[in-house]
Amino acid sequence: MKLRCAIIDDEPLAVELMESYVRRTPFLQLGGSFGSGITAFEALRSEPVDLLFCDIQMPELNGVELTRMLPSETRVIFTTAFSRYAVEGFRVNAVDYLLKPISYADFLAAAEKALSWFELRARAQAAEGSAEQPADSTPTAETPRSIIVRSEHRLLQIDLDSILYIEGLKDYVKIHTGDSPRPVLSLMSLKTLEEQLPTDRFIRVHRSYIVQPAKIRAIERNRIIFGKEYIPIADNYREAFFAFLSAHALFR
């Protein structure tokens, strides 16, 4: 897999250095270099790239603001001389954060992290396509459907079949699975994750909880029981939840 990338930095020497790093990296293809966020904006809107190496502190339009305006398919690696921007970078779901001066080893590690993300996404999409094939077709392989999330600076692929429930905590979510005693913690909103989940398998039962009904073993007094954990069923979600159970022949 090759990733088409672009570089944005208001320091010409920094642009030259990053261009040399891209040329040394076999799986990267340079799609353009820009000296400011303003000049890059129109070009990247009309010709998006897979990966963007972007300085944060730039005049007129900084890197974080620019990232929010670009297509969601473009992944970003921030480059900056100021470590205080790290948290803000990860809030916009950056792949990585490189602190200047940037060595080629650090550049390559970040680029490989981005490559892994795209490869995982491609496998997940292939699995979904396989699951959607007509009944009379013969799939080449049966792959579980999954989601990809960032957790502790890593990209993790989680099988949907393993998920019991998901808990929302402000800017974070906890993904509780049946094959691990510890939940997966990821920096994203519950709404963002909900949009990635198939509606025929997952349903929200509370402003802070999404469950997979097929994994439910017991319901007691408007609470769903998962082992020692009790998930409340909020009044405004109750009717839709029990209608889902009935439609899927669960807990009739």
Side-chain angles (χ1 to χ4, degrees):
M1 176 179 286
K2 268 191 174 290
L3 302 181
R4 188 167 179 268
C5 66
I7 298 165
I8 307 175
D9 202 305
D10 60 345
E11 299 176 7
L13 291 178
V15 172
E16 290 180 15
L17 178 66
M18 298 297 284
E19 286 177 340
S20 71
Y21 286 172
V22 170
R23 288 192 291 269
R24 290 171 60 182
T25 309
F27 59 84
L28 293 181
Q29 178 184 356
L30 187 61
S33 297
F34 307 92
S36 73
I38 295 292
T39 57
F41 175 66
E42 288 301 327
L44 295 178
R45 290 279 290 182
S46 59
E47 294 185 29
V49 294
D50 300 311
L51 181 62
L52 180 62
F53 294 94
C54 184
D55 189 16
I56 291 182
Q57 192 173 41
M58 295 184 292
E60 297 182 310
L61 183 65
N62 69 44
V64 174
E65 293 169 341
L66 172 65
T67 298
R68 293 192 175 109
M69 299 163 66
L70 293 177
S72 59
E73 293 80 10
T74 299
R75 309 308 298 167
V76 179
I77 295 175
F78 284 120
T79 62
T80 183
F82 303 97
S83 59
R84 66 177 180 271
Y85 290 118
V87 173
E88 191 173 3
F90 283 115
R91 279 180 179 165
V92 294
N93 208 21
V95 172
D96 212 337
Y97 179 97
L98 295 176
L99 194 61
K100 297 177 182 179
I102 301 168
S103 68
Y104 179 66
D106 289 341
F107 172 91
L108 182 60
E112 287 177 338
K113 188 183 295 186
L115 179 64
S116 296
W117 188 91
F118 279 99
E119 288 175 340
L120 283 171
R121 188 183 70 166
R123 284 200 288 271
Q125 290 174 339
E128 289 178 3
S130 207
E132 292 171 0
Q133 288 184 9
D136 58 353
S137 65
T138 306
T140 56
E142 187 175 345
T143 308
R145 296 177 64 184
S146 60
I147 56 172
I148 299 169
V149 299
R150 171 182 292 281
S151 179
E152 298 178 353
H153 310 302
R154 295 180 301 164
L155 292 169
L156 300 179
Q157 183 168 228
I158 302 175
D159 291 342
L160 295 182
D161 286 340
S162 71
I163 298 175
L164 302 177
Y165 66 96
I166 302 161
E167 180 180 1
L169 302 167
K170 289 188 177 180
D171 296 330
Y172 290 83
V173 294
K174 280 184 177 181
I175 304 173
H176 298 261
T177 65
D179 53 12
S180 174
R182 296 180 57 190
V184 174
L185 188 65
S186 182
L187 180 61
M188 70 169 71
S189 69
L190 190 62
K191 178 176 175 57
T192 298
L193 182 55
E194 183 179 21
E195 291 170 353
Q196 300 179 37
L197 299 170
T199 56
D200 61 336
R201 296 184 61 176
F202 293 86
I203 187 168
R204 189 183 285 235
V205 296
H206 187 276
R207 62 180 297 182
S208 300
Y209 291 97
I210 295 172
V211 301
Q212 181 163 203
K215 301 295 183 179
I216 296 173
R217 295 294 175 263
I219 300 174
E220 177 187 281
R221 298 177 182 174
N222 285 332
R223 298 181 301 177
I224 302 166
I225 304 173
F226 287 105
K228 297 181 179 179
E229 300 298 325
Y230 289 79
I231 309 302
I233 304 171
D235 290 342
N236 52 330
Y237 293 97
R238 175 182 169 82
E239 184 177 348
F241 172 62
F242 282 102
F244 182 102
L245 297 183
S246 178
H248 292 78
L250 299 169
F251 293 94
R252 286 195 170 180

